[in-house]
Amino acid sequence: MSTGKIMITEEQVRTRAAELGAQIVSDYDGCELVLVGVLKGAVVWMADVMKAVDKDVTIDFVQASSYGSSKESSGVVKIKKDIDTDISGKHVIIVEDIVDTGNTLSYLASEFASRGASSVEICALLDKPTGRKVPLDVKYAGFEVGDQFIIGYGLDFDEKYRNLPYVSYLED
Ligand code: IMP
Ligand code: MG
């Protein structure tokens, strides 16, 4: 297996983060907002998004897992590391690297809603609609990708490639 071509450059990601950040600022005017990044894949995107949200905001991280070392989702989501923030009465945006089946985010969104969050929305760098198994509204989506295994900009295969400063894919 090898790394494919560059699909999305760092500059394109930054530009998109700036657009979504501006949209978030206007959508959450006067609201108490918490950005929750999903470890580990979202860290690079989260850093871009939070810098683009020009308002008072707090951040936290959650670690969930539905993937083992294989490329297929097991469908079973677990929280491996929880947030420390009391999100009751606050507006939450979950910042994620990619939405594939939707299992992880639908689980996390309903979990955060059950803790009394005033609203829960999703900001994903990538949306892979062909993989969807559960319906999910991705309010802030960076880019749509096809049915490929994506790596780079935080996304891994077997914990490798997260450090690539661009979005690429795995080639056989
Ligand atoms: P879900 O299938 O939507 O629950 O996605 C679960 C997680 O699988 C995502 O947060 C990613 O970390 C990972 N994932 C899904 N598709 C890909 C991919 O194409 N490349 C790398 N990781 C992926
Ligand atoms: Mg992930």
Side-chain angles (χ1 to χ4, degrees):
M1 236 144 3
S2 64
T3 314
K5 296 191 183 69
I6 296 179
M7 291 171 78
I8 306 166
T9 65
E10 187 165 22
E11 194 188 353
Q12 287 173 302
V13 175
R14 294 263 170 85
T15 302
R16 191 71 187 114
E19 289 168 1
L20 293 177
Q23 199 186 326
I24 288 168
V25 169
S26 97
D27 290 352
Y28 289 85
D29 188 29
C31 297
E32 211 176 328
L33 177 62
V34 186
L35 301 178
V36 177
V38 184
L39 296 170
K40 306 172 192 170
V43 284
V44 191
W45 172 235
M46 173 77 161
D48 289 341
V49 170
M50 63 194 261
K51 285 181 284 182
V53 175
D54 187 16
K55 72 178 248 94
D56 283 341
V57 72
T58 60
I59 66 156
D60 206 335
F61 290 93
V62 66
Q63 187 164 20
S65 66
S66 73
Y67 270 65
S69 58
S70 92
K71 289 194 275 178
E72 293 297 313
S73 172
S74 69
V76 181
V77 182
K78 286 187 215 148
I79 290 187
K80 288 177 23 182
K81 183 237 169 266
D82 208 338
I83 53 173
D84 308 311
T85 311
D86 177 6
I87 53 172
S88 147
K90 296 176 189 160
H91 296 267
V92 173
I93 299 179
I94 306 175
V95 181
E96 175 60 308
D97 53 0
I98 187 167
V99 185
D100 182 17
T101 64
N103 282 326
T104 308
L105 284 170
S106 67
Y107 174 82
L108 290 176
S110 63
E111 173 62 27
F112 292 159
S114 78
R115 297 180 191 179
S118 298
S119 69
V120 182
E121 297 291 353
I122 289 154
C123 174
L125 169 61
L126 303 169
D127 187 7
K128 199 196 273 187
T130 52
R132 203 72 93 251
K133 293 201 173 117
V134 293
L136 192 75
D137 181 26
V138 184
K139 185 163 186 191
Y140 306 102
F143 304 87
E144 206 170 281
V145 291
D147 189 22
Q148 284 164 303
F149 196 84
I150 311 295
I151 52 170
Y153 224 84
L155 289 94
D156 73 306
F157 175 62
D158 239 349
E159 295 299 328
K160 277 172 64 187
Y161 310 114
R162 293 194 194 276
N163 56 322
L164 295 179
Y166 51 82
V167 177
S168 183
Y169 54 93
L170 274 189
E171 259 176 349
D172 292 322

